[in-house]
Structures are given as structure tokens and as C-alpha cells.
Amino acid sequence: MTDAPRGPHPSDPLIALRPWESPEVTSWGRLPMNAVDRRSGALPLDGDWRFQLLPTPDAPVGGSWSSSHVPGVWTMQGTDDLPQYLNVRMPFPEFPPHSPSANPTGVYEREVDVPAEWTGRRIVLQVGAAESVLLVHVDGLPVGISKDSHLAAEFDLTGLVRAGARSVVRLTVVKWSDASHVEDQDQWWHGGITRSVLLYATDPLHLADVTVRASFNGSLRVDCTVRDAGGALPEGWYVSGELEGLLLTQDAEFDRCNREDDRVSDFLGEARIRTTVEDVRTWNAETPELYDLTVRLHRADGTVADTSRHRIGFRDVEIAGRDLLVNGERVFVRGVNRHDFHPLTGRTVSYDDMRADLVTLKRFGFNAIRTSHYPNDPTLYDLADELGLYVVDEADIESHDHAHEIADDPRYLNAFVDRVSRMVLRDKNHPSVIIWSLGNESDYGANHDAAAGWLRRHDPTRPVQYEGAAKLDWAAVDDASDIACPMYASLEECVEHALSGRQTKPLIWCEYSHAMGNSNGTLADHWAAIESTPGLQGGFIWEFWDHGILQRVNDGRPVGRGGAGLYDNGVAAPGHRWAYGGDFGEPFHDGAFIADGVVLPDRTPKPVMYEHREIAAPVRIECFRHEGIVLGNHQHFRGLAWLAGQWELSLADGRTLTAPAELPDLRPGETAAVPLPFELPEDGGEAWLTLRVTTANDEPWAPRGTVVCLPQARLREAVAEAPTAVRNRSVEVDDDGLLVHPLLTSAPTLSLWRAPTDNDELGGTAARWRGWGLDALVRKVAHIRQTAGRVTVRAEYLSDAGVVRHVQVLTAVEGGIHVEESAELPDTLADVARIGSVFETVAGLDLMEWFGQGPWESYPDRAFGAPVGHHSVPVDDLFTPYLRPQESGGRHGVRHFTLSAPDATGLAVVLDEPRQVGVTRYRAADLTEVAHHDELVPRAGCVVHIDAAHRGLGTASCGPDTFASYLVAPGVHRWSWTLRAL
């Protein structure tokens, strides 16, 4: 018997079925999912296929063919069906299970030469993934149907093709279907064959599945399912294994007799291998030890009929009370959500792409990914096993727009169970997978419970999570989620729950900090609470990528696969831009909400990555005492021998001293005091000690010398020094009381406005600021008083919500001007963007050097990862090119800075205390008035902001806003600074 029907008989009612309209049919003719490795010896079918894009599935295939690259989406390959972005809404109005009549359908066709040496073997076609319905024909005969856009479909072609002969394979992909309603996943809508296609052959007697269970105590169990495509299983077959040279034999006590499955009249055999590995090397995200396992199926005469190779890890996952344990240890989950995405190829990602993704995450302190919201490319799991990342593997289920209707709809029951079970059957042998997820944003109903029931029966070794079940009651014990995994629940709520005494399960946010634009405020505050509150165990940032698609400006089309080299450091080349929702002419879209990652579309890290790296630091300075520095190991499994260190002492007077650091031998959780590496100079003012921690040797994810973290402690505070006034020197102002200075093209004035961030816009604060008129304040001079060496200017800034009274005292000092300012915000202007000074400089000042936090961008509620020191950055590089232009480029905690030309001329500013400073080429109005960076025209000079107070960033585009402590409060604000020429 065969594994499944090879093709419908003309009388079969399925031949007349329109499968894109029937949720009860998840597949037909498709082979069962399994975890057997078939890549070795396969015939790859990737490359250019003949292609036609039809307007509907019923349209006839014409005589004119173009070509399309497989794997790839047709929406990125020059067709008129372009990408479309929607978050919640479906791209068509039909209700489940219906799809629109205008339904793009791609027809792919090519000849396949079946190798002659495959004579007598079983021949299988594997299509890695297709969106959203796949129909397979060979030589004009129907073979099968598959839904589930993010898992492979396999079809037995043994009776349809001949070894040594040529056949025509046709793959028809229907874009919209009943399945689209459960793939509504906050990403670009595409169509096409998104993963590799291959043909492989096995012996008729073959491994149908392999299940590996390897525990961290060294016990190993391998369960094998065997089939024979020719009929009943032959007598005498057996299985063997090899684990790194150790030969493993079949468990003789296990029942190996034929077992007939009445449903498909198939014959199965089962065999088991068991052993215990002494002195086992265990797997975890810090030390991902893997073993090579080879499973062989033998005929009665001992010859090998089939082989499957696996890389396995010995580890256990369990929940004990309200703790998630890996190998018995409570681990913090420092996660990010990840889509399969590339700015040139859409949904198709290569091995190199995926490795670069995970290497980036490892280098910035992440130890976990959630495969939002579908099983990712299978290679990703191999890489997670190898590099060391925990995986929450999520089923291909999200019915966001119609969640309530579908969760209990029996027509979708098969789809839910099918998608969950196929994910588990494919990925069960990966040690990196520690949690199964039933999907995302699909309400909660009987279909989830059915899928959870199957999963728990099939794999009791891992917990199950589903936010939709857990959100009804985080303490419930009888729902489909073993983990309370809230989405954007406030930190206050979560801490309160953990302290309430009602908590019954671990709390790990599935999404908690939304990385849209200039965002991720309060990340350090969240982790301070997580690490100090039993019951809180971490979470997943939304998300890894900004999903910007590289687009040609002249014709508005995606650049496609040939666009490598047309972007650098997050910036698209001239004539190109990063497209987001609406940029492809789609009438319904959700704009830049697709740009919500911790990296830009070319994988350039956003500043939040440096924040996260420091939050996740494996070694930290616990405190500074007079007798030395106390260091702590904050890992779960690993010592510090893999790290190297260097001490750096930064003094406010410009000096930086360095010395080698010998890290103590600390086990996880231990601390130790080490001597202070420097004798602190008596002079030099404020002093900061930084431990530059790097990799001591090459790691799989980082070469030797890669920075791992930069923990820091302040050894001495600053001593304030007021500049001395010079009475015999005048301060020049114009008739409006504005400072006249040869290095300034625009005098310092009061600023309460910033170019709204995505959080400001979507969280509602930008609308409030505009309603107050903060973007168009009217300045009225109330009084100007001039005395020897000093000018006092009193002004009023008029808004629609009240008057801001501003006083500026300009005093001549040695070498420059000292500026003292105060501004009184009325109660009606609570929570403005900033309060401070803004001015513009002459052209040619191209380098900023400063003492303060840096070198990367930082803001009041996202400054933990920016160490205090001496930094130097070209002005053009201070700006962060978030996809939609917005407030960018700020540096927090700046003590003093210079802006200089190549000949070292320029200006210097000394601040009264650490302040938020922004230096870019753009006014706030420049950024506010455009939608893309290619529309921006940089100014020749510098636009400089010095803020007495600056509002935090928060994550209000999707999630909580910043905390009250990071808001700009009404009342009187005072600040001062001194401007000198270099």
C-alpha cells in the first residue's frame, strides 16, 4: 500500500471540489508530516519555473508563460499583484470561510528528469511552503492538495513518474482561501512558493517517522515508525542507531509486529532504541551541546534500507509551581518575536539570512525567539539548536479579524488540529523548542482545546501556551495554556499578580515591548522588576524586523532579488526607499505599523539593541566599595571563563585610562569582590569605571573580542562649577531679545515640541500636542533688560492651552556666553514632549564629541545601555533612520559637547547637569512633514536641542505608555549652559 492516494479517480467527488472554499478540507493526497531528514541525496527543484498569474483559480491557463524564481513570492517578482500590509483587517470583505472572486492564482510549471538510479524506489515531491492553497499535478494528472502556508507538503509520485524519464510538474498556488482567515498575521500579504521544492527517493521499506526524547540525565529514547510502500511489512526488519560512534541497538522487548491502520489500509511497524549516556553534555541556550545521532532501518539481511540523521540535545523542560525550568534551573526568557522576512525576497529566507538573524540576537543578549505566528523555515530550528536559543514554536493560526467566529466554528476544527499537529510532528526533535504555542490572536474556543488535547497526548515533555486562553484568567488551571503569557499587560498589573498569592503558573509575556520607530522605553524598568519579582520570568519583544520592502521610487515597485547593495546601515540608496503599508497603492492598509522591529530592514541594529544587551549582561558590577568592585555572574549555567575583560576609567576632564581585567571564577549566581584597578586621580572631576566584557575566544555566534556587555559604576560625582562673569564684555541681542552669535544661524528659543514618534502618534499624545499648538508656538517679548555683561529677556510663548513664561539670562563669561533659562508650564500643559532650548549652527560643523551617555542614541526611559564616557560621532551618523521620519538622534545624560569642523574650529557647550541633547541636520518640522527619508533634505548646519526635561518614549503604539516618572510635568523648569567658540 502507498502512504496516501496518489491521485483522484475521475469519479471521486474531490475532483470537482473547489478546495480554496472548504475549511473542512485541509489536504488531500498529502503525506503525513514527519521528522525524518530527507535532505541528503534529494534532487533540488529550486530555480526559474515557467509561470502564469491568473486572475482567478478558474481562469484557463493560456499560452504565454513568463518565469518566476522558486522559492519566492510573485508579489516581489514584477507582477501586477503587489504586496499589501494590514494588521487586523482582512484584505477582502468576505466572511469566513469565503474568499473573493478576484483571487490571484500562480501556475508554476517545469520539467523534471527523474534520476535513473531511482528505479524501484519510492519517489516523493516536497514543496517547502506555499501561500495559501497548493494544488499539485504531474503530467496533467491531479496528485494532491495542501493548505497551511508555512509548513511543507509532501506527495507520493511513485506511480506517476518513471525513473530515467522526464515528467512535467505543475504547482498551482491560490492566494486567497478559507485558510486565509486563519493566517491573518500582521505581516505583508504575499502569494507564491516561499520555501524550497525538492524531489527525493526512499526504499519502499522506509522510516515514516523518528521521535527523539533525550533527557538531561543522559537517558535517550528513539521511537521509529516504519512503513513499506509495497504492502505488508516484511519479516525480520530492525533499526539501529549510532550516537557519536556509540552503536545503539533496538529494544528487543518492544513490539515490532505489523499494525494495520483501518482508515488507510496501511501497515505500520514500530521500534524503539533506548540507552543512557554517561557524563552527558547537556543542552541549554548558554552551552548548546549537540550530539550526532544516526538512525538506520535494516532489512532482514542487515542491509540498510533507510537512514535519518539528527543533531540532538539532552535537556528537560518542566513547570514547577510558577516557574519554568530548563534542566531544573529557573531561566529568564529574554525573547523576541520573529517572522521569516527579507526586504528583497519577502517571505523567502536563506540559510545565511537566518544565521545572521540569530547571530545578531545572540550578540545582543537575546536567548529566545517566538516564531510569530507560524512555524518558521526548518533551517531556523537547526540554527537555534546549534547557536543556543530557546524557541516558542507557534502554530500557523491567527484569525485576528474574525477570531470570535472561528474559535468555535466546527468547520475550522480540522484546520486547527492539523496545523498544530503538523508543527509538532515536524519540530519535536529540536532541543531548542521548549514551548508549543497554539497560535496568536484567535480568541479562545473549542478548536483550541481540541488542538491542545492532541498536543498534550502526543508530547507531554513540553508545556503549551496560548495567550487567548490565558488572558481570561492568568491564574486559571483548567485552560489550554500552561503559561500565563499576556500581551502588552502593564508591568504594574503583572507585578501585582505575582505578589497576589493567586499565581498558579509562570508569567512570561508573549509580547511586552513594541519596537515601532523610536520606542522600547522602560525596558530596563521592566527587567529590574522581572529579576526582583518571583513569578515573573521574562517575555518577548515585538519584534525582530522592521518589515520595510526595498522599493524603487520612480515606479513604486519592489526591487526584488537583484537589490543587494542598494542599502547600507539602514539607509536605502538614492532613488530607493523602504516601503511600508500604502506604498504599493493598496487602498486599505495599516501604514508603518509593519515597521516595528529591533533591527532596520537590512538588519542594522536599532539603538534599543544596545539597551537590551546591557540589560541581559552575563557579568555585572553589583556595587562599588572602597575596597573594590563587586562582580556577579548572572548566567544560569555557565561560568565566566569564556569572557575577557578590560577596565576603562573615564574622567570628566577628557582622560580615559585602561587596564586589563582578570574576571573571577564565578559559578552562576555567585559574586566576588575584585580590587579597584586604578588609583583614582584626585583631580579630573566626575569619574566612571567601565568593564568592557568581550568574548575570550571565537564563539559560534561571535569572533574573539566581540563586545558582550559594558557594565559601569560611578566612582566619583561631579562638582558643579559656575562660570565667572566678565563685566566689561557685552552680550549682543537683536530687537526681539534673541542672541546674536557668529556660530549660530538661529538663536536659542524655547521648544516644547518634537517630531512625533510612532508611539506619540498612535498613542494619542501627538494629537493632543497639536491641539495645544505646541508645533506652532507664538513668541511674544515681554521685557528686555540689558546691563554690563548681561541681558535678561522675558518672553511669553502662546499656545492654545495656555501661556508659557520663559526667562533667559545671557551673561558674558570668559570665552563665551552663559545662558540661564527658566520656563513655567501651566497645569493645562501637563505632559508635553520636551522643555528646553533649540538653536541652529553655521555649516561645516560635522563632528560631535561629548562626555555623557553614548555613543548610540538614548532617551530618558531608554538609557540603561548607553555608558557614560567620551564619545565622538559624525553629525550625520547621530540620526537614526527609523522608517517613518520622527524624533531621532538624542543623547541622554550629556555633560558637555563640541561641534567642530575638520580644522578643529567650532563651538563647545557645557551643561549645568547631565541633560538630554539632540544634534541632527533636521528641524522637527522637517521630520514631521514627510513620510519617507528620500523626501528629507538635510540642512547644512546643525539643529541642536538642549532639554531640561524630555518625555520618555514608552511603547504606546501597541502597549503601555512610558511611566509617570518620565513625563514632563507642569511647573517651573530651570536649566543653564555655556556656549564657547573652539
Side-chain angles (χ1 to χ4, degrees), residues 115-306:
E117 59 268 26
W118 287 4
T119 299
R121 295 174 67 78
R122 168 178 170 266
I123 299 172
V124 177
L125 174 71
Q126 182 186 96
V127 181
E131 301 183 24
S132 67
V133 175
L134 172 69
L135 299 93
V136 179
H137 292 76
V138 172
D139 293 330
L141 296 176
V143 176
I145 297 165
S146 179
K147 299 179 186 177
D148 192 349
S149 293
H150 302 286
L151 283 174
E154 294 190 341
F155 303 91
D156 190 340
L157 306 187
T158 307
L160 299 174
V161 299
R162 288 190 302 110
R166 172 172 291 187
S167 287
V168 176
V169 175
R170 175 177 289 185
L171 306 178
T172 302
V173 180
V174 184
K175 184 175 183 179
W176 306 123
S177 70
D178 62 271
S180 301
H181 292 285
V182 291
E183 295 177 354
D184 181 16
Q185 293 156 329
D186 188 12
Q187 59 179 330
W188 291 101
W189 288 100
H190 289 293
I193 299 171
T194 58
R195 296 179 190 158
S196 289
V197 180
L198 57 88
L199 200 67
Y200 70 85
T202 73
D203 193 272
L205 178 67
H206 61 278
L207 291 165
D209 200 8
V210 174
T211 302
V212 179
R213 291 182 179 172
S215 176
F216 87 116
N217 65 7
S219 67
L220 173 65
R221 180 176 127 184
V222 183
D223 292 320
C224 302
T225 304
V226 178
R227 284 193 176 98
D228 194 309
L233 287 164
E235 293 294 329
W237 62 265
Y238 63 97
V239 297
S240 69
E242 183 179 346
L243 186 71
E244 295 200 341
L246 174 66
L247 297 179
L248 311 175
T249 58
Q250 181 177 293
D251 186 344
E253 297 179 358
F254 193 68
D255 183 8
R256 295 186 289 109
C257 63
N258 291 322
R259 177 169 62 83
E260 182 174 358
D261 187 328
D262 293 333
R263 292 171 299 171
V264 296
S265 299
D266 203 357
F267 292 88
L268 296 177
E270 296 174 342
R272 178 176 295 164
I273 299 171
R274 288 192 290 199
T275 191
T276 300
V277 178
E278 300 296 331
D279 300 320
V280 66
R281 308 186 309 271
T282 57
W283 187 98
N284 59 73
E286 295 169 14
T287 56
E289 297 283 354
L290 294 175
Y291 287 74
D292 291 322
L293 170 68
T294 302
V295 178
R296 298 184 178 92
L297 171 63
H298 300 265
R299 305 180 187 91
D301 62 3
T303 56
V304 176
D306 202 1

Side-chain angles (χ1 to χ4, degrees), residues 861-873:
D861 62 349
R862 201 192 66 216
F864 185 80
V868 175
H870 300 283
H871 306 292
S872 177
V873 176

Side-chain angles (χ1 to χ4, degrees), residues 322 330 474 484 486 488-503 507-509 522 524-538 963:
R322 56 182 186 170
R330 182 178 187 267
W474 293 346
Y488 304 111
S490 72
L491 180 61
E492 182 182 24
E493 290 177 279
C494 294
V495 170
E496 182 181 0
H497 175 69
L499 300 178
S500 68
R502 296 183 59 249
Q503 188 177 4
L507 192 152
I508 303 170
W509 285 269
T522 74
D525 305 79
H526 274 73
W527 273 97
I530 291 167
E531 293 189 1
S532 62
T533 307
L536 304 186
Q537 212 165 333
F963 297 161

Side-chain angles (χ1 to χ4, degrees), residues 283 288 358 369 379-389 391 432:
W283 187 98
L358 299 195
I369 54 175
T379 300
L380 182 99
Y381 302 80
D382 297 335
L383 289 165
D385 295 341
E386 173 194 338
L387 298 175
L389 283 152
V391 174
S432 57

Side-chain angles (χ1 to χ4, degrees), residues 685-953:
E686 187 178 7
W688 286 82
L689 182 67
T690 303
L691 179 60
R692 177 175 291 271
V693 180
T694 61
T695 51
N697 300 291
D698 290 344
E699 295 286 326
W701 47 272
R704 177 183 179 184
T706 299
V707 173
V708 174
C709 57
L710 299 166
Q712 188 174 66
R714 182 165 58 184
L715 304 187
R716 187 168 59 206
E717 295 189 5
V719 177
E721 295 183 12
T724 303
V726 179
R727 294 289 182 182
N728 60 354
R729 186 175 302 162
S730 63
V731 176
E732 185 179 357
V733 297
D734 64 15
D735 293 342
D736 293 321
L738 297 174
L739 175 66
V740 176
H741 192 282
L743 292 176
L744 304 186
T745 60
S746 178
T749 55
L750 182 68
S751 175
L752 307 180
W753 169 257
R754 70 185 182 197
T757 66
D758 291 315
N759 291 331
D760 297 337
E761 292 285 12
L762 296 176
T765 54
R768 185 169 69 248
W769 296 338
R770 288 190 182 96
W772 290 342
L774 300 188
D775 57 338
L777 293 174
V778 177
R779 180 179 181 269
K780 288 182 58 178
V781 178
H783 179 72
I784 301 175
R785 180 186 178 190
Q786 290 185 293
T787 60
R790 174 173 295 184
V791 177
T792 301
V793 181
R794 299 181 183 275
E796 294 181 342
Y797 286 78
L798 309 181
S799 77
D800 292 338
V803 176
V804 181
R805 293 178 173 83
H806 178 238
V807 178
Q808 196 175 64
V809 180
L810 308 172
T811 304
V813 298
E814 189 64 40
I817 305 293
H818 182 62
V819 184
E820 297 176 83
E821 304 193 59
S822 67
E824 184 178 2
L825 287 175
D827 291 343
T828 52
L829 286 178
D831 187 16
V832 298
R834 63 177 5 132
I835 186 164
S837 312
V838 60
F839 59 86
E840 297 179 26
T841 74
V842 296
L845 306 185
D846 299 331
L847 180 68
M848 180 178 177
E849 298 177 274
W850 74 97
F851 180 61
Q853 294 188 252
W856 31 83
E857 178 191 273
S858 55
Y859 284 84
D861 62 349
R862 201 192 66 216
F864 185 80
V868 175
H870 300 283
H871 306 292
S872 177
V873 176
V875 169
D876 291 341
D877 294 342
L878 294 169
F879 184 72
T880 304
Y882 298 109
L883 254 67
R884 189 189 65 79
Q886 57 196 273
E887 165 65 33
S888 169
R891 267 50 180 186
H892 191 61
V894 176
R895 280 75 166 162
H896 55 76
F897 67 92
T898 63
L899 296 172
S900 62
D903 63 359
T905 61
L907 61 84
V909 173
V910 179
L911 305 168
D912 59 337
E913 62 180 75
R915 298 290 187 184
Q916 181 78 22
V917 172
V919 178
T920 72
R921 300 292 190 195
Y922 306 106
R923 296 175 180 169
D926 299 336
L927 301 172
T928 306
E929 292 168 359
V930 301
H932 295 88
H933 286 272
D934 63 290
E935 304 167 56
L936 282 172
V937 178
R939 295 179 180 274
C942 302
V943 180
V944 181
H945 281 273
I946 298 171
D947 293 329
H950 194 107
R951 190 186 196 277
L953 301 169

Side-chain angles (χ1 to χ4, degrees), residues 416-458:
F416 275 61
V417 177
D418 184 64
R419 288 162 183 257
V420 170
S421 63
R422 280 170 32 86
M423 170 187 70
V424 173
L425 290 168
R426 188 194 74 168
D427 297 335
K428 60 190 173 184
N429 295 336
H430 289 282
S432 57
V433 177
I434 64 167
I435 299 170
W436 301 115
S437 169
L438 301 180
N440 184 67
E441 292 180 319
S442 300
D443 209 327
Y444 180 40
N447 294 339
H448 295 96
D449 287 333
W454 182 94
L455 198 163
R456 286 178 168 139
R457 171 78 178 189
H458 184 82

